[in-house]
Amino acid sequence: MLHPSPNHGERKGRTPDAIILHYTGLPTGEAALRQLCDPIAQVSSHYLVFEDGQLLQLVPEARRAWHAGRSYWAGERDMNDVSIGIEIANPGHRGGSPEYPSAQIATVIALCQDIIARWRIAPQRVLAHSDISPDRKIDPGEYFPWEKLAKSGVGHYVAPCPLEDGPRLERGAQGIPVESLQSMLAIYGYGLNITGLYGTKTETIVGAFQRHFRPERVDGIADQSTIETLRKVIAARPKS
Ligand SMILES: [Zn+2]
């Protein structure tokens, strides 16, 4: 169903090649719909999926919706130019991180499958808002069911390596192991420089990686499970 938002612009000649998944972070889907259509708020998304699975299209896919804000992925400095944004009604972390209902996820999966087929979007370009804006955003959250999506052919997923004791890298660490960690994160698409110094930026991006790929513990510390999962993710990266 259509429910047009006034908040959109030109794609500047680009075509969509990524999907960005969000949660609304508001108590109700109706409140989110009001905000996404409010000309003063200057935010929007192409789609909004309610908790009961109802789907609204707010912005045509050919137009640039305003969902991602400042963002970066794999060399692209403004993901709104090249992405389709899907807002998923969920109160978010501040609302207690309630589970996404299965009817809602079924709609998200069907919508993504359709978009992926029409625009030939690569699995590793179905991303979380937290992947592309890691210092500002934590949606759709570590409780988002990425594995379920992947089982339906949506997104890139590997089973996370189990938590275990062992050496770990954390803020303040320096040297080759940090460079190698930063390189892997950057190769995958995250926006960080290879400095060999584990500072706040690296910590934030390790946290973003965990939120998406190793959700059991999101602490910004590169433990063995995080590093092994990252290696697996890169080794399993589909050819695009
Ligand atoms: Zn978002």
Side-chain angles (χ1 to χ4, degrees):
M1 262 207 335
L2 285 175
H3 187 290
S5 165
N7 301 332
H8 54 85
E10 294 286 339
R11 280 202 188 268
K12 305 166 211 154
R14 309 294 301 279
T15 51
D17 70 359
I19 295 174
I20 307 301
L21 300 180
H22 304 260
Y23 67 44
T24 54
L26 290 169
T28 66
E30 287 69 29
L33 179 61
R34 277 195 298 278
Q35 187 178 66
L36 293 166
C37 294
D38 177 358
I40 309 290
Q42 302 231 325
V43 293
S44 61
S45 60
H46 294 90
Y47 296 98
L48 171 62
V49 182
F50 288 83
E51 272 140 336
D52 65 1
Q54 194 203 336
L55 171 67
L56 291 182
Q57 179 163 19
L58 313 182
V59 173
E61 292 179 2
R63 301 285 291 172
R64 179 181 183 277
W66 304 339
H67 54 97
R70 189 164 48 75
S71 54
Y72 175 93
W73 189 258
E76 191 69 50
R77 293 184 181 282
D78 187 343
M79 290 301 287
N80 278 343
D81 289 348
V82 295
S83 64
I84 291 174
I86 302 175
E87 285 281 358
I88 305 164
N90 184 280
H93 290 82
R94 273 184 295 179
S97 309
E99 195 178 326
Y100 291 87
S102 54
Q104 185 180 36
I105 292 305
T107 297
V108 170
I109 288 172
L111 174 62
C112 287
Q113 286 173 333
D114 179 52
I115 295 168
I116 288 165
R118 285 186 292 102
W119 293 101
R120 299 177 187 280
I121 290 169
Q124 68 272 29
R125 292 185 66 85
V126 179
L127 295 163
H129 198 190
S130 52
D131 290 319
I132 63 167
S133 305
D135 51 349
R136 299 186 299 119
K137 295 293 174 178
I138 56 174
D139 62 311
E142 62 282 358
Y143 60 101
F144 186 76
W146 291 104
E147 182 179 7
K148 205 165 167 183
L149 269 67
K151 283 186 175 146
S152 303
V154 176
H156 180 211
Y157 176 87
V158 301
C161 300
L163 296 176
E164 54 179 307
D165 292 334
R168 39 195 248 164
L169 297 169
E170 57 193 301
R171 204 198 297 191
Q174 299 188 42
I176 305 286
V178 177
E179 276 181 31
S180 136
L181 170 71
Q182 291 171 330
S183 303
M184 287 196 289
L185 290 165
I187 283 167
Y188 196 65
Y190 288 96
L192 83 174
N193 297 319
I194 320 301
T195 60
L197 177 63
Y198 203 116
T200 317
K201 181 92 187 171
T202 303
E203 186 177 65
T204 302
I205 287 179
V206 167
F209 173 80
Q210 291 170 330
R211 216 175 277 292
H212 187 157
F213 293 100
R214 210 290 308 270
E216 200 174 343
R217 190 191 287 160
V218 180
D219 59 4
I221 295 172
D223 53 27
Q224 283 308 297
S225 151
T226 301
I227 293 171
E228 288 308 316
T229 305
L230 175 56
R231 282 207 184 102
K232 261 174 76 175
V233 164
I234 288 177
R237 199 162 42 142
K239 299 239 183 328
S240 53

